[in-house]
Amino acid sequence: MTASANIDPSARKPHLAEDFDRVARGYDRLCTLNPGYTRHLRKSAQRLGLPRDGQHRILDLCCGTGLSTAALRRTYPNSSLTGLDSSDGMLTIAREKADLGNVNWLLGNAMDPAAAGAAGPYDAILMAYGIRNVTDPDVCLTQLRQLLAPGGVICLHEYSVADSRLSQLVWKGVANTIIIPLGKLGTGTTTIFRYLRESVLEFDGRRRLEQRLQEAGYDGVHTEPMDGWQRGIVHSFLASRPR
C-alpha cells in the first residue's frame, strides 16, 4: 500500500495501541518538528484554569510519551498527576522522563479509565488527541464526567476541521506533504500517520463536539482556538462537571 493510500479509521481503531507501540521511539522527535506542538499543549493545560500553585488531582488521558504530562507539570507543578494510555510502548518512553516528577502511570483504555485504576475524583482532565480515537465518544465523555469532582474541568485538545473547507485543505496538504513522509522517514511506517490524516478528516466539527459535551451533561461548554498554522485545525474544547 502506498504512503498516499487512504485508511479506514474505524477499522484501524482496535489496532491503535500496537500502531503507537511501533512508533514510540521516534514519536517525540517527530512532534518537535511540528511548530507550536508543545506550546499548544501548554495552552490547553493553562486553559483548565486551575490555580497554578494548588495541589490538584489531574488526569492526563491518552498521555502517550508524556508530552501532555510535561505541559501539565510545567503549568501545575504541585499537582498530583495520573497519566493513562493504551500503548505500553508510549508509556515506556514516558516513564523514562525523570523531569516529569512523580506521575502515576497507568496502562488502560480511555473508554473506561476507572478500570485501569484512574478512580478519581479529579479536579481536571486533559485529553490530548484522544477523543477522536475512542470507539464511542459519547460513552467516553459520560465516563469522564463521572471521574470529575463537581466543578471539575475537562479539556479536549483535539483536531477538528469538518466545519471549514479551508481547514480541511490545509490539513490534507500538511498531512500529505509533511506528516506522512516525515513519519515514514522517522519510524519506517506510514500506517499511524495515514490513520491520523483520515481520522481528522472524518472527525466531528467544532459544533458537533460541543454538542456531544452538552449531551453528556457538561456545563460551560466552549472552544478556544490555537494560533499559527494550526488555527482552525487544533482547538481546546472546554467544559465542566456541574456542581
Side-chain angles (χ1 to χ4, degrees):
M1 184 174 288
T2 66
S4 60
N6 289 350
I7 197 167
D8 181 357
S10 297
R12 200 67 219 164
K13 284 183 180 182
H15 307 285
L16 284 180
E18 59 196 76
D19 289 342
F20 277 111
D21 285 345
R22 293 190 185 99
V23 303
R25 284 290 164 188
Y27 189 80
D28 283 7
R29 183 169 61 254
L30 290 171
C31 289
T32 59
L33 296 175
N34 179 348
Y37 187 93
T38 55
R39 181 169 55 83
H40 288 164
L41 286 173
R42 290 197 298 271
K43 274 184 176 288
S44 281
Q46 293 161 1
R47 287 167 174 172
L48 290 169
L50 304 174
R52 173 175 170 78
D53 295 328
Q55 295 181 345
H56 315 292
R57 297 188 72 227
I58 305 175
L59 174 62
D60 184 14
L61 191 59
C62 303
C63 64
T65 61
L67 294 175
S68 50
T69 320
L72 289 167
R73 177 61 75 205
R74 180 170 177 172
T75 308
Y76 307 108
N78 299 324
S79 290
S80 173
L81 303 182
T82 295
L84 185 148
D85 201 88
S86 63
S87 166
D88 192 42
M90 300 285 270
L91 282 176
T92 296
I93 304 299
R95 292 188 184 104
E96 294 172 354
K97 298 179 178 180
D99 61 325
L100 296 181
N102 185 23
V103 178
N104 179 28
W105 301 110
L106 299 174
L107 180 65
N109 191 327
M111 287 292 297
D112 191 4
Y122 293 101
D123 300 300
I125 296 173
L126 175 63
M127 189 179 192
Y129 306 114
I131 193 64
R132 169 177 44 85
N133 296 331
V134 300
T135 55
D136 191 327
D138 298 316
V139 170
C140 181
L141 290 174
T142 299
Q143 294 270 27
L144 298 185
R145 178 176 54 79
Q146 294 168 353
L147 288 179
L148 285 170
V153 182
I154 187 169
C155 177
L156 307 175
H157 179 95
E158 189 56 87
Y159 295 101
S160 178
V161 301
D163 293 340
S164 168
R165 180 61 177 162
L166 176 60
S167 295
Q168 293 171 38
L169 291 173
V170 171
W171 170 248
K172 283 194 284 189
V174 171
N176 288 334
T177 63
I178 299 175
I179 295 174
I180 295 174
L182 284 180
K184 172 70 171 179
L185 184 64
T187 67
T189 181
T190 64
T191 301
I192 193 66
F193 307 106
R194 287 184 291 114
Y195 166 83
L196 172 61
R197 178 188 60 195
E198 299 305 317
S199 65
V200 170
L201 292 172
E202 287 192 5
F203 189 58
D204 293 348
R206 180 180 59 79
R207 290 184 291 272
R208 176 64 184 119
L209 187 50
E210 288 177 344
Q211 182 183 23
R212 286 189 194 274
L213 284 160
Q214 291 164 349
E215 291 172 350
Y218 290 88
D219 280 347
V221 176
H222 66 287
T223 304
E224 298 189 24
M226 294 299 165
D227 55 14
W229 79 268
Q230 293 190 117
R231 185 174 185 85
I233 294 174
V234 175
H235 317 260
S236 301
F237 295 88
L238 296 148
S240 61
R241 177 173 179 170
R243 294 185 181 275

